[in-house]
Every structure is written in C-alpha cells, then in structure tokens.
Amino acid sequence: MTELGAVFRPQNPPERLRDVVRAADESGLEQLWLWEDCFLEGGISTAAAALAWSERVRVGVGVLPVPLRNVAITAMELAALERMFPGRGIWGVGHGVQEWMGQVGARVASPVTLLREYLDALRGLLAGQRITVKGRYVQLDDVALDWPPPAAPPILAAATGPKTLRLVGESADGMILTSSTPAHGIRAAAEIVRSARPESVAAQPYPIVVYLLAATGPDAADRVAAELADKEPDVAAELGVAGDAHTVAAAVTRWAEAGATSVILQPTADEPDPVGFVRFAAEQVRPLVR
C-alpha cells in the first residue's frame, strides 16, 4: 500500500512545527517530512524535535545536503536519533542546490563522486563498520561509531538526472524525487534505478518517495499556479493538484500507479494553515487512497 505524508515547509517559522507535528501524530498521518533548505531550518534539529514531540508518525528529512556535512557528523547524529527513536526516522541525502553550496564555499567539482563516496561511508558507519577511506572528497582514518544503531537504517538519496539516478540505484536504499517529477518521470526514474541495482538486492523492496505539490480551499488553484509560474503551461499542468480530497486522492493514486511507494503532499510556500493541511491529508485524502 502506498503511504501518504505531508511536508512541513521551512518557509514556516520553526516555532510552528510543534503544532503541525502533534496534528500529524493525532490524525494518523503516516509520514511528516522536513527539509534542510539553505538558509531556513536545520534538518537534524527539526527532526529531533519532531520525533520527541510525537509518538507514532514517521519523520523524514529530505534531504541533508552532503557538501554541507562531514559524513562522520551525519552518521553520529543519525545513529543517536535511531537509538532514541528506533525506526521512526526516514533519512535522505543529496547534492544540495549547487547555488547554495557555492554561497557557503562547499560546492564541489563532481557532486556525483561526492555522493557516491558519502553514501558508501555513511551506510558503512551506520552498519557498525570501522572505516578507513581516502576518497576524492570523503576521507576517514580508522573511524567507527561508539554508539551505532542496533539496526542500520535505510539511507535514501535524492536524484534528478540519469547519472545520479544510476548512482542512487547502485548505492542508496531508496530514492527521493522532487515535486517537479510528473507521473511519466517517476516511471522513467524507477526504470533507471531498477536497472542499476545490484543483483544481490534487486528483489528487495525499494522505497520511492515522491513529493506532490497540492493545495485545497477556495484559492487553491491560484496558489498552485503561482508556485508553478516558472514552468511551461503543459508541464505545470502535470506537476500540481488543487481541489478537494477526491481530486487530490486521484492525483496521489496516479503517482502511486507510476511507482511511488510514498506520496508526500507538498503544500504551497504560502499555505495559510499548515496544521489544517496535515489534517486534510490524513483525515480526508488518506481514506480515499488505496
């Protein structure tokens, strides 16, 4: 069954997160996702708070930009959260927006090389391995976690272009696709990843998380249109959904049929009621999705 979630967008001030988390937990929402977008809110700090304020909802971070974070620090933080809140975190990493990486002096010449080295090291550390590696970007000398998680969590990675998609298939435990991915793009991405997966794990389930821009209420269509104003009209028509629960659920179903294992409703940046949006997703849309 496809899982349904929603995003707490970092355009909201951090002090609004608690009410959204509690609404997600109480309403039965399956996943609440957070973003580490420059220069808004930190992914680990908000995830830790969300996990502490809730009892059952799974909390995703999509994504932690790898140029910003030493892989040992990321492993330490994820291990600590996994030990405190086992199995409730969903962890994603990615290239980060290159313009932002340049602003902080972290842009690299080969983002694909960095992501490959990072995924290998991060997954190894979380699995309790002691690692020495001298890569182009990732360098570790006899490093192991003193407090690895009892079970290594899956590490998902964001992807858009074919090179990164192939890398994600080879080296990550799942894939995250942005809201700029239409249904046919999900199918194409899933096929690239499927062909790149090692034979030893090809038969295992592979999470595909996809964001879907969505809005409801009297001004929903205008808000979605404004968010997609930089897209060509024929492209924009495939990327967002505005309307009541039945309309949104139908779009979720299309994304699920294209291959998404989790569809995460992404409100517009100017969503006036983040708490209401979460309850709408859980209480009205979820019962209509298979």
Side-chain angles (χ1 to χ4, degrees), residues 212-224:
L212 171 61
L213 181 66
T216 191
D219 61 347
D222 291 339
R223 288 191 287 116
V224 168

Side-chain angles (χ1 to χ4, degrees), residues 123-135:
R123 293 173 73 213
L125 290 169
L126 291 172
Q129 298 174 10
R130 181 170 298 276
I131 294 179
T132 295
V133 60
K134 297 187 182 301

Side-chain angles (χ1 to χ4, degrees), residues 8-136:
F8 175 82
R9 290 187 60 162
Q11 285 80 8
N12 295 298
E15 57 268 25
R16 298 190 72 178
L17 176 60
R18 187 173 186 173
D19 288 342
V20 172
V21 170
R22 288 185 167 176
D25 211 41
E26 294 166 0
S27 64
L29 188 71
E30 290 147 305
Q31 299 180 17
L32 180 68
W33 280 74
L34 308 168
W35 292 352
E36 186 164 82
D37 277 0
C38 297
F39 299 95
L40 295 166
E41 292 163 13
I44 295 296
S45 55
T46 50
L51 289 164
W53 286 330
S54 59
E55 296 293 335
R56 45 146 302 277
V57 67
R58 298 193 71 199
V59 176
V61 179
V63 296
L64 300 170
V66 300
L68 281 177
R69 293 178 163 275
N70 183 283
V71 69
I73 292 292
T74 301
M76 290 162 58
E77 292 182 321
L78 297 190
L81 291 175
E82 281 293 317
R83 292 183 71 100
M84 290 187 284
F85 309 99
R88 287 186 51 216
I90 310 171
W91 311 114
V93 298
H95 296 313
V97 176
Q98 295 306 294
E99 180 181 353
W100 293 340
M101 299 304 100
Q103 282 183 268
V104 297
R107 189 167 185 169
V108 299
S110 178
V112 172
T113 300
L114 169 57
L115 185 58
R116 184 185 300 277
E117 293 178 356
Y118 202 99
L119 282 167
D120 290 346
L122 179 59
R123 293 173 73 213
L125 290 169
L126 291 172
Q129 298 174 10
R130 181 170 298 276
I131 294 179
T132 295
V133 60
K134 297 187 182 301
R136 181 174 177 182

Side-chain angles (χ1 to χ4, degrees), residues 57-290:
V57 67
R58 298 193 71 199
V59 176
V61 179
V63 296
L64 300 170
V66 300
L68 281 177
R69 293 178 163 275
N70 183 283
V71 69
I73 292 292
T74 301
M76 290 162 58
E77 292 182 321
L78 297 190
L81 291 175
E82 281 293 317
R83 292 183 71 100
M84 290 187 284
F85 309 99
R88 287 186 51 216
I90 310 171
W91 311 114
V93 298
H95 296 313
V97 176
Q98 295 306 294
E99 180 181 353
W100 293 340
M101 299 304 100
Q103 282 183 268
V104 297
R107 189 167 185 169
V108 299
S110 178
V112 172
T113 300
L114 169 57
L115 185 58
R116 184 185 300 277
E117 293 178 356
Y118 202 99
L119 282 167
D120 290 346
L122 179 59
R123 293 173 73 213
L125 290 169
L126 291 172
Q129 298 174 10
R130 181 170 298 276
I131 294 179
T132 295
V133 60
K134 297 187 182 301
R136 181 174 177 182
Y137 299 109
V138 174
Q139 299 189 21
L140 300 172
D141 183 8
D142 195 33
V143 175
L145 298 177
D146 283 1
W147 295 104
I155 300 298
L156 283 59
T160 51
K163 287 184 179 180
T164 305
L165 286 166
R166 285 192 291 272
L167 164 61
V168 169
E170 293 167 358
S171 301
D173 301 304
M175 172 171 59
I176 300 172
L177 297 172
T178 72
S179 62
S180 295
T181 312
H184 66 83
I186 299 171
R187 293 189 184 92
E191 182 55 37
I192 293 173
V193 165
R194 189 177 300 114
S195 66
R197 294 190 70 194
E199 289 186 9
S200 60
V201 297
Q204 297 177 10
Y206 193 82
I208 298 177
V209 177
V210 186
Y211 296 119
L212 171 61
L213 181 66
T216 191
D219 61 347
D222 291 339
R223 288 191 287 116
V224 168
E227 190 126 333
L228 296 173
D230 62 336
K231 307 289 186 184
E232 294 295 329
D234 57 335
V235 174
E238 299 183 15
L239 297 182
V241 57
D244 62 11
H246 286 275
T247 302
V248 175
V252 171
T253 298
R254 290 195 298 274
W255 263 233
E257 290 173 346
T261 61
S262 296
V263 179
I264 311 303
L265 299 182
Q266 174 183 316
T268 58
D270 59 354
E271 167 59 52
D273 184 9
V275 170
F277 184 85
V278 162
R279 292 197 178 276
F280 166 74
E283 297 170 356
Q284 299 185 46
V285 178
R286 172 74 267 182
L288 302 174
V289 178
R290 294 194 300 273

